[in-house]
Amino acid sequence: MWIFVMFDLPVGSKAESRVATKFREFLLDEGFEKSQFSVYARFCNGKEQFEAYLRRIEGNLPSDGEVHILTFTDKQYENIIRFSGQRRKRPQKNPDQLALF
């Protein structure tokens, strides 16, 4: 299963910008990879692990802005069509196994 976190956070002031940066850094520290500027993705091994990540994200939500969390199955993730510029990119492969660091 894949988790996608999409967010739109205010960055009009230095304080708001710091809060948005802190949230992005939190996602990176949790093992999420940047897919687009405000879209981060991570593979997880099922519903229990998803629920654990969801609780950690909820505990680190900024006070303002919008955060959306989606889940995709491996099959749905394989079917995502990606473009870079005008060229279609090859589909990304699902990880064979969970890598521990």
Side-chain angles (χ1 to χ4, degrees), residues 31 33 42 98-101:
E33 294 180 3
R42 187 184 199 298
L98 185 62
L100 299 177
F101 298 94

Side-chain angles (χ1 to χ4, degrees), residues 26-67:
F26 161 76
L27 291 174
L28 292 171
D29 289 344
E30 289 292 316
F32 284 81
E33 294 180 3
K34 184 177 177 181
S35 178
Q36 292 183 3
F37 184 69
S38 294
V39 180
Y40 287 72
R42 187 184 199 298
F43 180 79
C44 68
N45 273 338
K47 191 159 181 78
E48 294 86 21
Q49 194 176 36
F50 164 72
E51 293 293 336
Y53 281 112
L54 182 60
R55 283 190 301 275
R56 286 199 293 272
I57 292 168
E58 280 182 299
N60 286 277
L61 286 173
S63 58
D64 293 320
E66 298 286 328
V67 177

Side-chain angles (χ1 to χ4, degrees), residues 8 13 21 42 51 53 67 75 87-88 96-97 100:
D8 185 16
S13 70
T21 298
R42 187 184 199 298
E51 293 293 336
Y53 281 112
V67 177
K75 190 66 176 167
R87 294 183 179 231
R88 190 177 202 163
D96 292 330
Q97 61 184 356
L100 299 177

